[in-house]
Amino acid sequence: MQFDSKRNNGVTIVSVKGRMDAVTTPEIDGKLTGLIDGGERRLVVDLAGLDYISSAGLRSLLATAKRLKAEQGDMVFANLEGHVTEVFKISGFYALFKVYASVDVALGQLGK
Amino acid sequence: MKRIASLILPAKLEHLPAFIATVTGAAESGRVAPKKVFNVELALEEALVNIMNYAYEGKAGDIEVVCRSDNREWFVVEIIDSGKAFDVTSVPPPDLTTDLSDRKVGGLGLLFIKRLIDGAVYRREGEKNVLELRISLNS
């Protein structure tokens, strides 16, 4: 698992690579919580290179999004790949979240 | 049906990767299509984590997985625990139509088991829960 974040004009771009399963998600969840605790309110989550996600990963993303919404923030996704795309579909996450083809498109759309 | 692999380990999260490796390896040698191996992996994680979190109610216990294939029609994974009786297949799916504020964070794991596996059958055998995941080799 690899987690990176960088700021771009008031938006935080988070990159998660590898796996978001029951073993790896607590660490990722802690980092997401840390970003919000640090005042970040607008997140683009770049899932390029995320090979696998289970309900543990989805729960963390959902909890993060709920918290951001409560704080008048927003979270969108970019670059979903094969297995992750299918899991988002089955879970109804496409109806809950905005999903974009690239980080650049997401940055252009965030908050509109 | 030929038994390909089996593994018994304590029902602890630290052992999840070992269970996953055993079953995905067996699925590959049991002629499960690569795309379906993903489905097996996800359903397996959800079933195992559920047992690890709830079945033994804080006490120690084991999980056994047994993989079989007939090499023609079916690859079958049995997941066996000795915890409290629980039929994972009886749990209703979560409501996927609510908006973000009302969306519940649980229940998705059980949905994956039902949606990604060709047949999920639960039975209580004496003091054991047995969840049988059946994966078609032809569809």
Side-chain angles (χ1 to χ4, degrees):
Chain A
M1 188 277 295
Q2 192 188 328
F3 184 102
D4 294 299
S5 66
K6 61 181 177 196
R7 300 211 71 197
N8 179 320
N9 288 331
V11 176
T12 304
I13 302 161
V14 174
S15 164
V16 186
K17 290 182 164 68
R19 299 172 62 89
M20 277 190 89
D21 59 22
V23 175
T24 59
T25 292
E27 186 183 343
I28 297 166
D29 194 62
K31 290 176 190 281
L32 288 170
T33 301
L35 287 174
I36 304 177
D37 288 346
E40 308 298 341
R41 290 292 175 267
R42 301 167 83 204
L43 300 190
V44 173
V45 182
D46 180 1
L47 298 183
L50 185 70
D51 304 317
Y52 177 92
I53 189 165
S54 68
S55 71
L58 295 178
R59 266 201 304 281
S60 167
L61 296 175
L62 192 56
T64 303
K66 278 174 175 274
R67 191 173 161 206
L68 279 170
K69 191 178 182 194
E71 311 256 7
Q72 281 75 51
D74 198 7
M75 179 165 97
V76 302
F77 293 92
N79 297 325
L80 271 64
E81 294 174 355
H83 168 78
V84 175
T85 305
E86 190 179 350
V87 170
F88 264 54
K89 275 184 196 155
I90 295 171
S91 315
F93 269 39
Y94 276 97
L96 284 181
F97 296 112
K98 294 187 182 112
V99 178
Y100 298 108
S102 72
V103 170
D104 284 344
V105 175
L107 286 171
Q109 295 292 323
L110 192 68
K112 274 190 184 171
Chain B
M1 273 209 168
K2 193 178 161 211
R3 187 178 173 121
I4 303 175
S6 63
L7 183 66
I8 304 178
L9 283 170
K12 292 189 166 181
L13 199 54
E14 68 203 66
H15 297 304
L16 181 64
F19 282 116
I20 299 272
T22 296
V23 174
T24 54
E28 282 158 12
S29 61
R31 300 192 183 178
V32 176
K35 188 190 169 303
K36 276 205 166 184
V37 176
F38 259 133
N39 297 353
V40 173
E41 180 175 359
L42 183 54
L44 179 73
E45 176 184 329
E46 304 297 353
L48 290 173
V49 170
N50 206 51
I51 294 167
M52 290 163 176
N53 285 341
Y54 303 114
Y56 291 105
E57 300 176 295
K59 296 194 273 290
D62 290 339
I63 300 175
E64 178 177 13
V65 299
V66 181
C67 303
R68 295 186 179 85
S69 174
D70 62 9
N71 280 319
R72 291 182 298 113
E73 287 183 274
W74 295 103
F75 174 76
V76 175
V77 184
E78 278 185 340
I79 303 163
I80 303 153
D81 70 77
S82 306
K84 65 177 175 183
F86 176 64
D87 178 2
V88 70
T89 65
S90 71
V91 177
D95 183 354
L96 302 181
T97 61
T98 58
D99 69 9
L100 184 58
S101 306
D102 295 326
R103 184 66 186 268
K104 300 284 185 290
V105 292
L108 284 172
L110 309 181
L111 178 73
F112 293 151
I113 294 173
K114 288 183 186 174
R115 287 285 299 274
L116 295 175
I117 295 299
D118 299 306
V121 182
Y122 168 84
R123 63 181 187 272
R124 184 78 176 169
E125 250 178 33
E127 295 297 305
K128 294 184 175 189
N129 296 304
V130 182
L131 178 64
E132 186 178 305
L133 306 179
R134 299 177 68 85
I135 295 95
S136 169
L137 301 181
N138 300 312
S139 64

